[in-house]
Amino acid sequence: MKKYNLMIMSFENRMQKINIRNWQISDAQALAAVANNRNVWNSIRNEFPSPYTVMDALAWIKHKNEEKPVSNFAIEIGGLVAGNISCTWHKDVYAKTVEIGYFIGENYWGKGIATAAVSQMLEAIKKNKEIVRIEAKIFGNNKGSARVLEKNNFVLEGTRKNAIFKNGVIADEEVWVHLVS
C-alpha cells in the first residue's frame, strides 16, 4: 500500500491560522508545556509519561521524526504549539484503515482547534485513494473528543466495555469511524 507524506496544512480559525506540520527539535519546550498537564494525560494512553518533561519531548520528537513515514505532527495555532495529531497506517487485513489520534493542551480546549486539525488530517489521508476507513478510539468519558469527531462526520461504531485501565479505574473505549466514499 502506498503511504503519502502529509504536507504542511493550514486552516483559518477565529482569525488565527492552524497548521499541522512536522515536529522540530526546537518545539520540545512548547510540547512539554502543553503535554505536562494531568487533565491532558487523563485522556491518553499510559505510555505517555506524566509528568512530561522537556527531555521526554526531545526524545519523543527525535524518535517520531525518524519513523518512515512520519506519522505524528505538531498542531500549531498562531505560531504556538497547541498539541499533536497522528495517523497510524494499519497492516495486513486492516491495510485499508488508518487510525488517527490527537491531543490538545488544556488552554486550547473548546476553541475548535482539534476539530480543525482533525479536518485537515482527514483531507490529507483521503488523498490516498486506497484508504476506505479512518477510525479514532477515545475514552468513553471524553465528551469533548467525541464532539470533535462528530463535527468531522465520524460515527460511533461501538463501545468496547471495560477496555481501558487508567488511574486505577476500568473504563469504556469508544470506536469512532469515518468511512471514505
Side-chain angles (χ1 to χ4, degrees):
M1 176 178 75
K2 242 188 227 180
K3 294 182 179 160
Y4 294 85
N5 287 332
L6 299 177
M7 298 181 294
I8 294 174
M9 299 166 277
S10 65
F11 178 78
E12 296 296 325
N13 181 297
R14 297 187 188 185
M15 305 306 287
Q16 292 190 17
K17 185 181 276 190
I18 296 171
N19 293 313
I20 294 177
R21 61 167 176 78
N22 289 348
W23 282 103
Q24 302 165 11
I25 292 296
S26 59
D27 292 325
Q29 186 82 32
L31 173 58
V34 296
N36 188 32
N37 178 298
R38 196 65 174 184
N39 291 328
V40 169
W41 185 79
N42 283 333
S43 293
I44 55 181
R45 295 178 179 160
N46 286 335
E47 64 190 18
F48 194 89
S50 179
Y52 195 91
T53 67
V54 173
M55 293 305 292
D56 292 323
L58 284 168
W60 185 83
I61 291 169
K62 184 178 183 306
H63 171 72
K64 290 301 178 182
N65 282 343
E66 290 172 353
E67 290 181 340
K68 300 296 179 221
V70 172
S71 62
N72 280 268
F73 304 90
I75 300 170
E76 179 184 71
I77 182 164
L80 300 174
V81 170
N84 178 75
I85 192 161
S86 65
C87 57
T88 303
W89 303 82
H90 288 272
K91 299 175 183 169
D92 198 22
V93 297
Y94 304 107
K96 304 240 180 236
T97 299
V98 173
E99 180 179 346
I100 66 167
Y102 52 89
F103 75 84
I104 299 290
E106 187 172 13
N107 292 344
Y108 299 100
W109 291 358
K111 297 181 171 141
I113 297 166
T115 301
V118 168
S119 176
Q120 290 177 50
M121 184 61 74
L122 289 174
E123 185 179 312
I125 291 168
K126 288 178 181 179
K127 289 179 181 174
N128 181 333
K129 300 300 182 195
E130 295 180 21
I131 296 302
V132 298
R133 176 186 170 93
I134 303 166
E135 62 185 24
K137 297 173 183 170
I138 64 171
F139 293 11
N141 64 349
N142 191 339
K143 301 305 176 202
S145 198
R147 188 69 187 121
V148 165
L149 296 170
E150 285 176 334
K151 288 179 181 179
N152 279 289
N153 299 314
F154 280 74
V155 295
L156 178 60
E157 182 176 68
T159 300
R160 297 179 63 224
K161 297 291 187 186
N162 297 337
I164 294 172
F165 182 67
K166 179 84 174 186
N167 293 328
V169 176
I170 295 174
D172 296 343
E173 177 183 62
E174 293 179 354
V175 178
W176 290 77
V177 176
H178 180 98
L179 297 177
V180 179
S181 47

